[in-house]
Coordinates of all heavy atoms in Angstrom, one line a residue:
M59 N -96.1 -27.6 10.2 CA -96.7 -27.2 11.4 C -96.6 -25.7 11.5 O -95.6 -25.1 11.2 CB -96.1 -27.9 12.6 CG -96.8 -27.5 13.9 SD -96.0 -28.3 15.2 CE -95.1 -26.9 15.9
D60 N -97.7 -25.0 11.9 CA -97.7 -23.6 12.1 C -96.9 -23.3 13.4 O -97.3 -23.7 14.5 CB -99.1 -23.1 12.2 CG -99.2 -21.6 12.2 OD1 -98.2 -21.0 11.9 OD2 -100.3 -21.1 12.6
E61 N -95.9 -22.5 13.2 CA -95.0 -22.2 14.4 C -95.6 -21.1 15.3 O -95.2 -20.9 16.4 CB -93.6 -21.7 13.9 CG -92.9 -22.8 13.3 CD -91.5 -22.3 12.8 OE1 -91.2 -21.1 13.0 OE2 -90.8 -23.1 12.2
Y62 N -96.7 -20.5 14.8 CA -97.3 -19.4 15.6 C -98.6 -19.8 16.3 O -99.4 -18.9 16.7 CB -97.5 -18.2 14.7 CG -96.1 -17.7 14.1 CD1 -95.8 -18.0 12.8 CD2 -95.2 -17.0 14.9 CE1 -94.6 -17.6 12.3 CE2 -94.0 -16.6 14.4 CZ -93.7 -16.9 13.1 OH -92.5 -16.5 12.6
C63 N -98.9 -21.0 16.4 CA -100.1 -21.5 17.1 C -99.9 -21.3 18.6 O -98.8 -21.3 19.1 CB -100.5 -22.9 16.7 SG -99.3 -24.1 17.2
S64 N -101.0 -21.2 19.3 CA -101.0 -21.1 20.7 C -100.5 -22.4 21.3 O -100.8 -23.5 20.8 CB -102.3 -20.7 21.2 OG -103.3 -21.7 21.1
P65 N -99.9 -22.3 22.5 CA -99.4 -23.6 23.1 C -100.5 -24.5 23.6 O -100.2 -25.7 23.7 CB -98.6 -23.1 24.4 CG -98.4 -21.6 24.1 CD -99.5 -21.1 23.2
T66 N -101.7 -24.1 23.8 CA -102.8 -25.0 24.2 C -103.5 -25.6 23.1 O -104.4 -26.4 23.3 CB -103.7 -24.2 25.1 OG1 -104.3 -23.1 24.4 CG2 -103.0 -23.7 26.4
Q67 N -103.3 -25.2 21.8 CA -104.0 -25.7 20.7 C -103.5 -27.1 20.4 O -102.4 -27.4 20.3 CB -103.7 -24.8 19.5 CG -104.5 -25.2 18.2 CD -104.2 -24.2 17.1 OE1 -103.3 -23.3 17.2 NE2 -104.8 -24.4 16.0
R68 N -104.5 -28.0 20.1 CA -104.2 -29.4 19.8 C -104.2 -29.6 18.3 O -105.0 -28.9 17.6 CB -105.2 -30.3 20.5 CG -105.1 -30.2 22.0 CD -105.5 -31.4 22.7 NE -105.1 -32.6 22.2 CZ -104.3 -33.5 22.8 NH1 -103.8 -33.2 23.9 NH2 -104.1 -34.7 22.3
L69 N -103.5 -30.5 17.8 CA -103.5 -30.8 16.4 C -104.4 -32.0 16.1 O -104.1 -33.1 16.5 CB -102.0 -31.1 15.9 CG -101.0 -30.0 16.1 CD1 -99.6 -30.5 15.8 CD2 -101.4 -28.8 15.2
A70 N -105.5 -31.7 15.5 CA -106.6 -32.7 15.3 C -106.1 -33.9 14.5 O -106.4 -35.1 14.8 CB -107.8 -32.1 14.7
N71 N -105.3 -33.6 13.4 CA -104.8 -34.7 12.6 C -103.9 -35.7 13.3 O -104.0 -36.9 13.2 CB -104.1 -34.2 11.4 CG -105.0 -33.4 10.4 OD1 -106.2 -33.7 10.4 ND2 -104.5 -32.5 9.6
L72 N -103.1 -35.1 14.2 CA -102.2 -35.9 14.9 C -103.0 -36.8 16.0 O -102.7 -38.0 16.1 CB -101.2 -35.0 15.7 CG -99.9 -35.7 16.2 CD1 -99.1 -36.4 15.1 CD2 -99.1 -34.7 16.9
D73 N -104.0 -36.2 16.6 CA -104.8 -36.9 17.5 C -105.6 -38.1 16.8 O -105.7 -39.2 17.3 CB -105.8 -36.0 18.2 CG -105.1 -35.1 19.2 OD1 -104.0 -35.5 19.7 OD2 -105.7 -34.1 19.6
A74 N -106.0 -37.8 15.6 CA -106.8 -38.8 14.8 C -105.9 -40.0 14.4 O -106.3 -41.2 14.6 CB -107.4 -38.2 13.6
I75 N -104.7 -39.7 14.0 CA -103.7 -40.8 13.6 C -103.3 -41.6 14.9 O -103.2 -42.8 14.8 CB -102.5 -40.2 12.9 CG1 -102.9 -39.6 11.6 CG2 -101.5 -41.3 12.6 CD1 -101.8 -38.8 10.9
R76 N -103.1 -40.9 16.0 CA -102.8 -41.6 17.2 C -104.0 -42.5 17.6 O -103.7 -43.6 18.1 CB -102.5 -40.5 18.3 CG -102.0 -41.1 19.6 CD -101.6 -40.0 20.6 NE -100.5 -39.2 20.2 CZ -100.5 -37.9 20.1 NH1 -101.6 -37.2 20.5 NH2 -99.5 -37.2 19.7
G77 N -105.2 -42.0 17.4 CA -106.3 -42.9 17.8 C -106.4 -44.1 16.9 O -106.7 -45.2 17.4
V78 N -106.0 -44.0 15.6 CA -106.0 -45.2 14.7 C -104.9 -46.1 15.2 O -105.2 -47.4 15.2 CB -105.7 -44.7 13.3 CG1 -105.4 -45.9 12.4 CG2 -106.9 -44.0 12.7
G79 N -103.8 -45.6 15.6 CA -102.7 -46.5 16.1 C -103.2 -47.3 17.4 O -103.0 -48.5 17.5
V80 N -103.8 -46.6 18.3 CA -104.2 -47.2 19.6 C -105.4 -48.2 19.3 O -105.4 -49.3 19.8 CB -104.7 -46.1 20.6 CG1 -105.4 -46.8 21.8 CG2 -103.5 -45.3 21.1
L81 N -106.3 -47.8 18.4 CA -107.4 -48.7 18.0 C -106.8 -50.0 17.3 O -107.3 -51.1 17.6 CB -108.3 -48.0 17.1 CG -109.7 -48.7 16.9 CD1 -110.4 -48.8 18.2 CD2 -110.5 -47.9 15.9
G82 N -105.8 -49.9 16.5 CA -105.2 -51.0 15.9 C -104.6 -52.0 16.9 O -104.7 -53.2 16.8
I83 N -103.8 -51.4 17.8 CA -103.2 -52.2 18.9 C -104.3 -52.9 19.7 O -104.2 -54.1 20.1 CB -102.3 -51.3 19.8 CG1 -101.1 -50.9 19.0 CG2 -101.9 -52.1 21.0 CD1 -100.3 -49.8 19.7
F84 N -105.4 -52.2 20.0 CA -106.5 -52.7 20.8 C -107.1 -53.9 20.0 O -107.4 -55.0 20.6 CB -107.5 -51.6 21.0 CG -108.8 -52.1 21.7 CD1 -108.8 -52.5 23.0 CD2 -110.0 -52.2 21.0 CE1 -109.9 -53.0 23.6 CE2 -111.1 -52.6 21.6 CZ -111.1 -53.0 22.9
F85 N -107.4 -53.8 18.7 CA -108.0 -54.8 17.9 C -107.1 -56.1 17.8 O -107.6 -57.2 17.9 CB -108.4 -54.4 16.5 CG -109.7 -53.6 16.5 CD1 -109.8 -52.5 15.7 CD2 -110.7 -53.9 17.4 CE1 -111.0 -51.8 15.6 CE2 -111.9 -53.1 17.4 CZ -112.0 -52.1 16.5
L86 N -105.8 -55.8 17.7 CA -104.9 -57.0 17.7 C -104.9 -57.7 19.0 O -104.8 -59.0 19.0 CB -103.5 -56.5 17.3 CG -103.2 -56.1 15.9 CD1 -101.9 -55.5 15.7 CD2 -103.4 -57.3 15.0
N87 N -105.0 -57.0 20.1 CA -104.9 -57.6 21.4 C -106.2 -58.3 21.7 O -106.2 -59.3 22.5 CB -104.6 -56.6 22.5 CG -103.2 -56.3 22.5 OD1 -102.3 -57.1 22.2 ND2 -102.8 -55.1 23.0
I88 N -107.4 -57.9 21.2 CA -108.6 -58.6 21.4 C -108.5 -60.1 20.9 O -108.9 -61.0 21.6 CB -109.8 -57.9 20.6 CG1 -110.2 -56.6 21.4 CG2 -111.0 -58.8 20.5 CD1 -111.2 -55.8 20.6
Y89 N -108.0 -60.3 19.7 CA -107.9 -61.6 19.2 C -107.0 -62.5 20.0 O -107.3 -63.6 20.4 CB -107.4 -61.6 17.7 CG -107.1 -63.0 17.2 CD1 -108.1 -63.9 16.9 CD2 -105.8 -63.4 17.1 CE1 -107.8 -65.1 16.5 CE2 -105.5 -64.7 16.7 CZ -106.5 -65.5 16.3 OH -106.2 -66.8 15.9
F90 N -105.8 -62.0 20.4 CA -104.8 -62.8 21.0 C -105.1 -63.0 22.5 O -104.8 -64.0 23.1 CB -103.4 -62.2 20.9 CG -102.9 -62.3 19.5 CD1 -102.7 -61.2 18.7 CD2 -102.5 -63.6 19.0 CE1 -102.3 -61.4 17.4 CE2 -102.1 -63.7 17.8 CZ -101.9 -62.6 16.9
M91 N -105.8 -62.1 23.2 CA -106.2 -62.3 24.5 C -107.4 -63.4 24.6 O -107.5 -64.1 25.6 CB -106.7 -61.0 25.2 CG -105.6 -60.0 25.3 SD -104.6 -60.3 26.7 CE -104.9 -58.9 27.7
G92 N -108.2 -63.4 23.6 CA -109.3 -64.3 23.6 C -109.0 -65.6 22.8 O -109.9 -66.4 22.7
N93 N -107.8 -65.8 22.4 CA -107.5 -66.9 21.5 C -107.5 -68.2 22.3 O -107.9 -69.3 21.7 CB -106.1 -66.7 20.9 CG -105.8 -67.7 19.8 OD1 -106.7 -68.3 19.3 ND2 -104.6 -67.8 19.4
S94 N -107.1 -68.3 23.5 CA -107.1 -69.5 24.2 C -107.5 -69.3 25.7 O -107.7 -68.2 26.1 CB -105.7 -70.2 24.2 OG -104.8 -69.4 25.0
F95 N -107.7 -70.3 26.4 CA -108.2 -70.3 27.8 C -107.4 -69.5 28.7 O -107.8 -68.7 29.5 CB -108.5 -71.7 28.3 CG -109.1 -71.7 29.6 CD1 -110.5 -71.4 29.7 CD2 -108.4 -72.1 30.8 CE1 -111.1 -71.4 31.0 CE2 -109.0 -72.1 32.0 CZ -110.4 -71.7 32.1
F96 N -106.1 -69.6 28.6 CA -105.1 -68.9 29.5 C -104.4 -67.8 28.9 O -103.3 -67.4 29.2 CB -104.1 -69.9 30.1 CG -104.7 -70.9 31.0 CD1 -104.9 -72.2 30.5 CD2 -105.2 -70.6 32.2 CE1 -105.4 -73.2 31.3 CE2 -105.7 -71.5 33.0 CZ -105.9 -72.8 32.6
G97 N -105.0 -67.1 27.9 CA -104.3 -65.9 27.3 C -103.5 -66.3 26.1 O -103.9 -66.8 25.2
Y98 N -102.2 -66.0 26.2 CA -101.3 -66.2 25.1 C -100.8 -67.6 24.9 O -100.2 -67.9 23.9 CB -100.1 -65.2 25.2 CG -100.4 -63.8 24.9 CD1 -100.7 -62.9 25.9 CD2 -100.5 -63.4 23.6 CE1 -101.0 -61.6 25.6 CE2 -100.8 -62.1 23.3 CZ -101.1 -61.2 24.3 OH -101.4 -59.9 24.0
A99 N -100.9 -68.4 25.9 CA -100.3 -69.8 25.9 C -101.4 -70.7 25.3 O -102.4 -71.0 25.9 CB -99.9 -70.2 27.3
P100 N -101.1 -71.3 24.1 CA -102.1 -72.2 23.5 C -101.9 -73.6 24.2 O -100.8 -74.1 24.4 CB -101.6 -72.3 22.0 CG -100.2 -71.9 22.0 CD -100.0 -70.9 23.2
H101 N -103.0 -74.2 24.6 CA -103.0 -75.5 25.3 C -103.6 -76.6 24.4 O -103.7 -77.7 24.9 CB -103.7 -75.4 26.6 CG -103.1 -74.5 27.5 ND1 -101.9 -74.8 28.2 CD2 -103.4 -73.2 27.9 CE1 -101.6 -73.8 29.0 NE2 -102.5 -72.8 28.8
E102 N -104.0 -76.3 23.2 CA -104.5 -77.3 22.3 C -104.1 -77.0 20.9 O -103.6 -75.9 20.6 CB -106.1 -77.4 22.4 CG -106.7 -76.1 22.2 CD -108.2 -76.1 22.5 OE1 -108.6 -76.8 23.4 OE2 -108.9 -75.4 21.7
I103 N -104.3 -77.9 20.0 CA -103.9 -77.7 18.6 C -104.8 -76.6 18.0 O -106.0 -76.6 18.1 CB -104.0 -79.0 17.8 CG1 -103.1 -80.1 18.4 CG2 -103.7 -78.7 16.4 CD1 -103.3 -81.4 17.8
Q104 N -104.1 -75.6 17.4 CA -104.9 -74.5 16.8 C -105.4 -74.8 15.4 O -104.7 -75.5 14.7 CB -104.0 -73.3 16.7 CG -103.6 -72.7 18.1 CD -102.7 -71.5 18.0 OE1 -102.0 -71.3 17.0 NE2 -102.7 -70.7 19.0
P105 N -106.6 -74.4 15.1 CA -107.1 -74.6 13.8 C -106.3 -73.8 12.7 O -105.6 -72.9 13.1 CB -108.5 -74.0 13.8 CG -108.8 -73.9 15.3 CD -107.6 -73.7 16.0
T106 N -106.4 -74.3 11.5 CA -105.6 -73.6 10.4 C -105.9 -72.2 10.3 O -105.1 -71.4 10.0 CB -105.8 -74.4 9.1 OG1 -105.6 -75.8 9.3 CG2 -104.9 -73.9 8.0
A107 N -107.2 -71.8 10.4 CA -107.6 -70.4 10.3 C -106.9 -69.5 11.3 O -106.5 -68.4 11.0 CB -109.1 -70.3 10.4
D108 N -106.8 -70.0 12.6 CA -106.1 -69.3 13.6 C -104.6 -69.1 13.3 O -104.0 -68.0 13.5 CB -106.2 -70.0 15.0 CG -107.6 -69.8 15.6 OD1 -108.4 -69.0 15.0 OD2 -107.9 -70.4 16.6
I109 N -104.0 -70.1 12.7 CA -102.6 -70.0 12.3 C -102.4 -69.0 11.2 O -101.5 -68.2 11.2 CB -102.0 -71.4 12.0 CG1 -102.0 -72.3 13.2 CG2 -100.6 -71.2 11.4 CD1 -101.7 -73.7 12.9
A110 N -103.4 -69.0 10.2 CA -103.3 -68.0 9.1 C -103.5 -66.6 9.6 O -102.8 -65.7 9.2 CB -104.4 -68.4 8.1
I111 N -104.4 -66.4 10.6 CA -104.6 -65.1 11.1 C -103.4 -64.6 11.9 O -102.9 -63.5 11.8 CB -105.8 -65.0 12.1 CG1 -107.1 -65.2 11.2 CG2 -105.9 -63.8 12.9 CD1 -108.4 -65.4 12.0
L112 N -102.7 -65.5 12.6 CA -101.5 -65.2 13.4 C -100.4 -64.8 12.5 O -99.7 -63.7 12.7 CB -101.1 -66.4 14.2 CG -99.8 -66.3 15.0 CD1 -99.9 -65.3 16.1 CD2 -99.3 -67.7 15.5
I113 N -100.2 -65.5 11.4 CA -99.1 -65.2 10.4 C -99.4 -63.8 9.7 O -98.5 -63.0 9.6 CB -98.9 -66.3 9.4 CG1 -98.4 -67.5 10.1 CG2 -98.1 -65.9 8.2 CD1 -98.4 -68.8 9.2
F114 N -100.7 -63.7 9.3 CA -101.0 -62.4 8.6 C -100.8 -61.2 9.6 O -100.3 -60.2 9.2 CB -102.5 -62.5 8.2 CG -103.0 -61.2 7.6 CD1 -102.6 -60.9 6.3 CD2 -103.8 -60.3 8.3 CE1 -103.1 -59.7 5.7 CE2 -104.2 -59.1 7.7 CZ -103.9 -58.8 6.4
S115 N -101.3 -61.3 10.8 CA -101.2 -60.2 11.7 C -99.7 -59.9 12.1 O -99.4 -58.8 12.3 CB -102.1 -60.4 13.0 OG -101.5 -61.4 13.8
N116 N -98.9 -61.0 12.3 CA -97.5 -60.7 12.6 C -96.8 -60.0 11.5 O -96.0 -59.1 11.8 CB -96.8 -62.1 12.9 CG -97.1 -62.6 14.3 OD1 -97.6 -61.8 15.1 ND2 -96.9 -63.8 14.5
F117 N -97.0 -60.4 10.2 CA -96.3 -59.8 9.1 C -96.8 -58.5 8.7 O -96.1 -57.6 8.2 CB -96.2 -60.8 7.9 CG -95.2 -61.9 8.2 CD1 -95.7 -63.2 8.3 CD2 -93.9 -61.6 8.3 CE1 -94.8 -64.2 8.5 CE2 -93.0 -62.7 8.5 CZ -93.5 -64.0 8.6
F118 N -98.1 -58.3 8.7 CA -98.7 -57.1 8.0 C -99.3 -56.1 9.0 O -99.5 -54.9 8.6 CB -99.8 -57.5 7.0 CG -99.2 -58.3 5.9 CD1 -99.5 -59.7 5.8 CD2 -98.4 -57.7 5.0 CE1 -98.9 -60.4 4.8 CE2 -97.9 -58.5 3.9 CZ -98.1 -59.8 3.8
L119 N -99.7 -56.5 10.2 CA -100.5 -55.5 11.0 C -99.7 -55.1 12.3 O -99.6 -53.9 12.6 CB -101.8 -56.1 11.4 CG -102.8 -56.5 10.3 CD1 -104.0 -57.2 10.8 CD2 -103.1 -55.3 9.5
E120 N -99.2 -56.0 13.0 CA -98.7 -55.8 14.4 C -97.6 -54.7 14.4 O -97.6 -53.8 15.1 CB -98.2 -57.1 15.0 CG -97.9 -56.9 16.5 CD -97.6 -58.3 17.1 OE1 -98.3 -59.3 16.7 OE2 -96.8 -58.3 18.0
G121 N -96.6 -54.9 13.5 CA -95.5 -54.0 13.5 C -95.9 -52.6 13.0 O -95.3 -51.6 13.5
R122 N -96.8 -52.5 12.2 CA -97.3 -51.2 11.6 C -97.9 -50.4 12.7 O -97.6 -49.2 12.8 CB -98.2 -51.4 10.5 CG -97.6 -52.0 9.3 CD -98.5 -52.1 8.1 NE -98.0 -52.9 7.1 CZ -97.3 -52.5 6.1 NH1 -97.0 -51.2 6.0 NH2 -96.9 -53.3 5.1
F123 N -98.8 -51.0 13.5 CA -99.4 -50.2 14.5 C -98.5 -49.8 15.7 O -98.5 -48.6 16.2 CB -100.6 -50.9 15.1 CG -101.8 -51.0 14.2 CD1 -102.3 -52.2 13.7 CD2 -102.4 -49.8 13.7 CE1 -103.3 -52.2 12.8 CE2 -103.5 -49.9 12.8 CZ -103.9 -51.1 12.4
F124 N -97.6 -50.7 16.1 CA -96.7 -50.3 17.1 C -95.7 -49.2 16.6 O -95.3 -48.3 17.4 CB -95.9 -51.5 17.6 CG -96.8 -52.4 18.5 CD1 -97.0 -53.7 18.1 CD2 -97.3 -51.9 19.7 CE1 -97.8 -54.5 18.9 CE2 -98.0 -52.7 20.5 CZ -98.3 -54.0 20.1
S125 N -95.2 -49.4 15.4 CA -94.2 -48.4 14.9 C -94.9 -47.0 14.6 O -94.4 -46.0 14.9 CB -93.6 -48.9 13.6 OG -94.5 -49.1 12.6
L126 N -96.2 -47.1 14.2 CA -97.0 -45.8 14.0 C -97.1 -45.1 15.4 O -96.9 -43.9 15.5 CB -98.3 -46.2 13.4 CG -99.3 -45.0 13.3 CD1 -98.8 -44.0 12.3 CD2 -100.7 -45.5 12.9
F127 N -97.5 -45.9 16.4 CA -97.7 -45.3 17.7 C -96.3 -44.7 18.2 O -96.3 -43.7 18.8 CB -98.3 -46.3 18.6 CG -98.9 -45.8 19.9 CD1 -100.0 -45.0 19.8 CD2 -98.4 -46.0 21.1 CE1 -100.6 -44.4 20.9 CE2 -98.9 -45.5 22.2 CZ -100.0 -44.7 22.1
A128 N -95.2 -45.4 18.0 CA -93.9 -45.0 18.5 C -93.5 -43.7 17.7 O -93.0 -42.8 18.3 CB -92.9 -46.0 18.3
M129 N -93.8 -43.6 16.4 CA -93.4 -42.4 15.7 C -94.3 -41.2 16.1 O -93.8 -40.1 16.3 CB -93.7 -42.6 14.2 CG -92.6 -43.2 13.4 SD -92.7 -43.2 11.6 CE -94.4 -43.6 11.3
L130 N -95.5 -41.5 16.4 CA -96.4 -40.4 16.9 C -96.0 -39.9 18.3 O -96.1 -38.7 18.6 CB -97.9 -40.8 16.9 CG -98.4 -41.0 15.5 CD1 -99.8 -41.6 15.6 CD2 -98.5 -39.7 14.8
F131 N -95.5 -40.8 19.1 CA -94.9 -40.4 20.4 C -93.7 -39.5 20.2 O -93.6 -38.5 20.9 CB -94.5 -41.6 21.2 CG -93.9 -41.3 22.5 CD1 -94.7 -40.9 23.6 CD2 -92.6 -41.4 22.7 CE1 -94.2 -40.6 24.8 CE2 -92.0 -41.0 23.9 CZ -92.8 -40.7 25.0
G132 N -92.9 -39.8 19.3 CA -91.7 -39.0 19.0 C -92.1 -37.6 18.4 O -91.6 -36.6 18.8
V133 N -93.1 -37.6 17.6 CA -93.6 -36.3 17.0 C -94.2 -35.5 18.1 O -94.0 -34.3 18.2 CB -94.7 -36.6 15.9 CG1 -95.4 -35.3 15.5 CG2 -94.0 -37.2 14.7
G134 N -94.9 -36.1 19.1 CA -95.5 -35.4 20.2 C -94.4 -34.8 21.1 O -94.5 -33.6 21.5
M135 N -93.4 -35.5 21.3 CA -92.2 -35.0 22.1 C -91.5 -33.9 21.4 O -91.2 -32.9 22.0 CB -91.2 -36.1 22.4 CG -91.8 -37.2 23.3 SD -92.2 -36.6 24.9 CE -90.6 -36.2 25.6
L136 N -91.4 -33.9 20.1 CA -90.8 -32.9 19.3 C -91.6 -31.6 19.4 O -91.1 -30.5 19.5 CB -90.6 -33.3 17.8 CG -90.1 -32.2 16.9 CD1 -88.6 -31.9 17.2 CD2 -90.2 -32.7 15.4
I137 N -92.9 -31.7 19.2 CA -93.8 -30.6 19.3 C -93.7 -29.9 20.7 O -93.7 -28.7 20.8 CB -95.3 -31.0 19.0 CG1 -95.4 -31.3 17.5 CG2 -96.3 -29.9 19.4 CD1 -96.7 -31.9 17.1
Q138 N -93.7 -30.7 21.8 CA -93.6 -30.2 23.1 C -92.2 -29.5 23.3 O -92.2 -28.4 23.9 CB -93.7 -31.3 24.1 CG -95.0 -31.8 24.4 CD -95.0 -32.9 25.5 OE1 -94.0 -33.4 25.9 NE2 -96.2 -33.2 26.0
F139 N -91.2 -30.0 22.7 CA -89.9 -29.4 22.8 C -89.9 -28.1 22.1 O -89.3 -27.0 22.6 CB -88.8 -30.3 22.3 CG -87.4 -29.7 22.3 CD1 -86.7 -29.6 23.5 CD2 -86.8 -29.3 21.1 CE1 -85.4 -29.0 23.5 CE2 -85.6 -28.7 21.1 CZ -84.9 -28.6 22.3
Q140 N -90.4 -28.0 20.9 CA -90.5 -26.8 20.1 C -91.3 -25.7 20.8 O -90.9 -24.5 20.8 CB -91.0 -27.1 18.7 CG -90.1 -27.8 17.8 CD -90.7 -28.1 16.5 OE1 -91.9 -28.1 16.3 NE2 -89.8 -28.5 15.5
R141 N -92.4 -26.1 21.4 CA -93.2 -25.1 22.1 C -92.6 -24.6 23.3 O -92.7 -23.4 23.6 CB -94.6 -25.7 22.4 CG -95.5 -25.9 21.1 CD -96.8 -26.4 21.5 NE -97.6 -26.5 20.2 CZ -98.8 -27.0 20.2 NH1 -99.4 -27.4 21.3 NH2 -99.5 -27.0 19.0
K142 N -91.8 -25.5 24.0 CA -91.1 -25.0 25.2 C -90.0 -24.0 24.8 O -89.8 -23.0 25.4 CB -90.5 -26.2 25.9 CG -89.8 -25.9 27.2 CD -90.7 -25.3 28.2 CE -90.0 -25.1 29.5 NZ -90.8 -24.4 30.5
Q143 N -89.3 -24.4 23.7 CA -88.2 -23.5 23.2 C -88.8 -22.1 22.8 O -88.2 -21.1 23.0 CB -87.5 -24.1 22.0 CG -86.5 -25.2 22.4 CD -85.4 -24.7 23.3 OE1 -85.4 -24.9 24.5 NE2 -84.4 -24.0 22.7
M144 N -90.0 -22.2 22.1 CA -90.6 -20.9 21.7 C -91.0 -20.1 22.9 O -90.9 -18.9 22.9 CB -91.9 -21.3 20.8 CG -92.4 -20.1 20.1 SD -93.7 -20.4 18.9 CE -94.2 -22.0 19.1
S145 N -91.5 -20.7 23.9 CA -91.9 -19.9 25.1 C -90.7 -19.4 25.8 O -90.7 -18.3 26.4 CB -92.7 -20.8 26.1 OG -92.0 -21.8 26.7
I146 N -89.6 -20.1 25.8 CA -88.3 -19.6 26.4 C -87.8 -18.4 25.6 O -87.4 -17.4 26.2 CB -87.3 -20.7 26.5 CG1 -87.7 -21.7 27.6 CG2 -85.9 -20.1 26.9 CD1 -86.8 -23.0 27.7
D147 N -87.8 -18.5 24.3 CA -87.4 -17.4 23.4 C -88.2 -16.2 23.6 O -87.7 -15.1 23.6 CB -87.3 -17.9 22.0 CG -86.3 -18.9 21.7 OD1 -85.3 -19.1 22.5 OD2 -86.4 -19.6 20.7
T148 N -89.5 -16.4 23.7 CA -90.5 -15.3 23.9 C -90.2 -14.6 25.3 O -90.2 -13.4 25.3 CB -91.9 -15.8 23.8 OG1 -92.1 -16.5 22.6 CG2 -92.9 -14.6 23.9
A149 N -90.0 -15.4 26.3 CA -89.7 -14.8 27.6 C -88.4 -14.1 27.6 O -88.3 -13.0 28.3 CB -89.7 -15.9 28.7
N150 N -87.4 -14.6 26.9 CA -86.1 -13.9 26.9 C -86.2 -12.6 26.1 O -85.5 -11.6 26.4 CB -85.0 -14.8 26.3 CG -84.6 -15.9 27.2 OD1 -84.8 -15.8 28.4 ND2 -84.0 -16.9 26.7
N151 N -87.0 -12.6 25.1 CA -87.1 -11.4 24.2 C -88.0 -10.3 24.9 O -87.8 -9.1 24.6 CB -87.7 -11.7 22.9 CG -86.7 -12.5 22.0 OD1 -85.5 -12.4 22.3 ND2 -87.2 -13.2 21.1
S152 N -88.8 -10.7 25.8 CA -89.7 -9.7 26.4 C -89.1 -9.1 27.7 O -89.7 -8.1 28.2 CB -91.1 -10.4 26.8 OG -90.8 -11.3 27.8
Q153 N -88.0 -9.6 28.2 CA -87.4 -9.0 29.3 C -86.6 -7.7 28.9 O -86.0 -7.6 27.8 CB -86.4 -9.9 30.0 CG -87.0 -11.1 30.6 CD -85.9 -12.1 31.1 OE1 -84.7 -11.9 31.0 NE2 -86.4 -13.1 31.8
P154 N -86.7 -6.7 29.8 CA -86.0 -5.4 29.4 C -84.5 -5.6 29.4 O -84.0 -6.3 30.2 CB -86.5 -4.4 30.5 CG -87.0 -5.3 31.6 CD -87.4 -6.6 31.0
K155 N -83.8 -4.9 28.5 CA -82.4 -5.1 28.4 C -81.7 -4.1 29.4 O -82.2 -3.0 29.6 CB -82.0 -4.8 27.0 CG -82.6 -5.7 26.0 CD -81.8 -5.8 24.7 CE -82.5 -6.6 23.8 NZ -81.9 -7.8 23.5
K156 N -80.6 -4.5 30.0 CA -79.9 -3.7 30.9 C -79.0 -2.7 30.1 O -78.4 -3.1 29.1 CB -79.0 -4.5 31.8 CG -79.8 -5.4 32.7 CD -78.8 -6.2 33.6 CE -79.6 -7.1 34.5 NZ -78.7 -7.8 35.4
T157 N -79.0 -1.5 30.6 CA -78.1 -0.5 29.9 C -77.0 -0.2 30.9 O -77.2 -0.1 32.1 CB -78.9 0.8 29.6 OG1 -79.5 1.3 30.8 CG2 -80.0 0.5 28.5
S158 N -75.8 0.1 30.3 CA -74.7 0.4 31.2 C -74.2 1.8 31.0 O -74.5 2.5 30.2 CB -73.6 -0.6 31.1 OG -73.3 -1.0 29.8

């Protein structure tokens, strides 16, 4: 990351990866919200294809999108902290020094 970028500049790559994470969570929730009449609670015997999709998404998809989104949240917090520290350091360096 470029340490000399302006505080209002956004990182397009980080925004794109965050969008992929949110889109993945959205697509996973579309299936499970529409899977049965009352949402997540199955009230009838599920077809084999639904069980296979459930197992596949639990092992290969669901954890990846949630962990990706959580990591990106942490990266965003780190960037905010670094920019705040940089602005504090800049403000401290620009104040005139007292002479005795």
Side-chain angles (χ1 to χ4, degrees):
M59 185 180 103
D60 186 14
E61 292 181 0
Y62 300 103
C63 65
S64 68
T66 58
Q67 184 180 4
R68 297 207 39 117
L69 300 173
N71 292 338
L72 197 60
D73 288 339
I75 296 170
R76 189 177 292 128
V78 169
V80 170
L81 192 63
I83 292 169
F84 175 70
F85 282 145
L86 287 173
N87 283 333
I88 285 175
Y89 171 74
F90 288 109
M91 296 277 248
N93 192 19
S94 71
F95 184 72
F96 292 108
Y98 285 100
H101 296 286
E102 56 188 35
I103 298 173
Q104 294 180 332
T106 308
D108 284 352
I109 295 171
I111 290 172
L112 175 69
I113 292 170
F114 176 78
S115 69
N116 282 342
F117 284 114
F118 296 109
L119 300 176
E120 190 171 326
R122 293 183 192 267
F123 287 117
F124 285 118
S125 61
L126 173 69
F127 198 65
M129 275 193 315
L130 290 171
F131 178 78
V133 168
M135 292 298 291
L136 176 67
I137 290 171
Q138 284 182 346
F139 178 74
Q140 287 176 343
R141 288 184 179 175
K142 183 66 175 174
Q143 286 296 104
M144 192 173 9
S145 69
I146 289 172
D147 291 342
T148 305
N150 288 341
N151 291 338
S152 65
Q153 293 177 355
K155 299 200 186 250
K156 294 182 180 180
T157 58
S158 39

